Amino acid sequence: VWLRTTTSPQHIVEANHFLFSMIDIIRECYPQASIVHIIRDGRGFVKSALNKGFYSEKDFRPRLRGDTFESMTTETWEKMNRIERLGWLWTTVNEYIEGQHPDLTVHFEDLFDTNHTGIKHICEETNLPYDPQITNELLSDKINTTKRDLFTSFGELPSRLQESFWSQAEHAMTKYGYS
């Protein structure tokens, strides 16, 4: 979410997937805000989410559940493995954001390519200045990295677990250009 005030050149940027269901409220409170949907390859999301403990028995955060957010029964939700739940979460959040008509959609991977394609695109569309030196400096400081990698890639998962993800996310992965 990019917020720009009308009284000063200050820019506020918040990148937080937990805010996905608050887009209407954000637009109401900050009518000048630009909503940028940054979509990540679901396989990379699964790797990261597994390493951060999403939906594990030790997960202390309340996570979105299919039996409370959608018309899914608790029995169906409880039968899903972690990978299926992550595939469901990735699909649900991204399709919800898409339905809120964001001002711009950018692939996560394009933010970090050597040409800064995604960052340039965001800057152009939101009339923010782009400075390659500042961008390089900011990208060199990783602030949201996993402390320990249980999995270094989606491909490391057993094929049956990979299939679990695809059972939940195949349509959305294809729609968003990941296949």
Side-chain angles (χ1 to χ4, degrees):
V1 179
W2 298 74
L3 307 174
R4 294 187 299 143
T5 64
T6 55
T7 57
S8 76
Q10 181 183 18
H11 304 283
I12 302 169
V13 177
E14 177 64 29
N16 184 336
H17 82 271
F18 294 108
L19 296 177
F20 82 95
S21 65
M22 303 194 61
I23 292 173
D24 286 341
I25 295 167
I26 293 168
R27 283 192 167 134
E28 187 176 318
C29 294
Y30 302 97
Q32 75 281 13
S34 295
I35 304 297
V36 179
H37 179 194
I38 299 174
I39 187 164
R40 182 178 188 180
D41 185 323
R43 295 164 290 200
F45 168 76
V46 165
K47 176 193 107 51
S48 178
L50 282 174
N51 287 327
K52 291 178 180 175
F54 281 39
Y55 296 124
S56 72
E57 292 175 6
K58 296 179 181 178
D59 191 0
F60 64 92
R61 288 188 176 181
R63 302 274 177 208
L64 195 61
R65 294 174 52 103
D67 59 347
T68 57
F69 189 76
E70 288 188 339
S71 57
M72 178 187 294
T73 67
T74 299
E75 180 182 10
T76 300
W77 178 257
E78 294 297 331
K79 287 181 180 178
M80 293 171 75
N81 65 42
R82 281 180 68 199
I83 309 298
E84 287 172 313
R85 290 177 182 183
L86 292 169
W88 172 86
L89 178 65
W90 180 86
T91 299
T92 300
V93 168
N94 285 299
E95 288 184 341
Y96 185 92
I97 294 170
E98 180 185 20
Q100 297 297 305
H101 309 290
D103 300 299
L104 180 64
T105 299
V106 175
H107 281 140
F108 175 84
E109 299 78 17
D110 292 343
L111 299 175
F112 303 99
D113 69 14
T114 55
N115 295 320
H116 306 146
T117 307
I119 293 171
K120 287 178 184 175
H121 188 56
I122 291 170
C123 289
E124 288 169 9
E125 294 296 321
T126 58
N127 296 316
L128 292 171
Y130 167 75
D131 183 318
Q133 183 177 349
I134 292 173
T135 300
N136 281 325
E137 288 172 18
L138 290 172
L139 290 178
S140 70
D141 184 22
K142 298 186 181 204
I143 58 173
N144 191 21
T145 58
T146 303
K147 303 297 182 243
R148 59 179 171 70
D149 277 340
L150 301 173
F151 301 97
T152 57
S153 74
F154 180 83
E156 274 185 49
L157 295 172
S159 60
R160 67 177 173 73
L161 292 178
Q162 291 182 39
E163 290 166 12
S164 294
F165 168 77
W166 287 105
S167 74
Q168 295 296 315
E170 184 172 16
H171 173 75
M173 286 283 286
T174 301
K175 177 170 61 172
Y176 296 125
Y178 299 109
S179 48

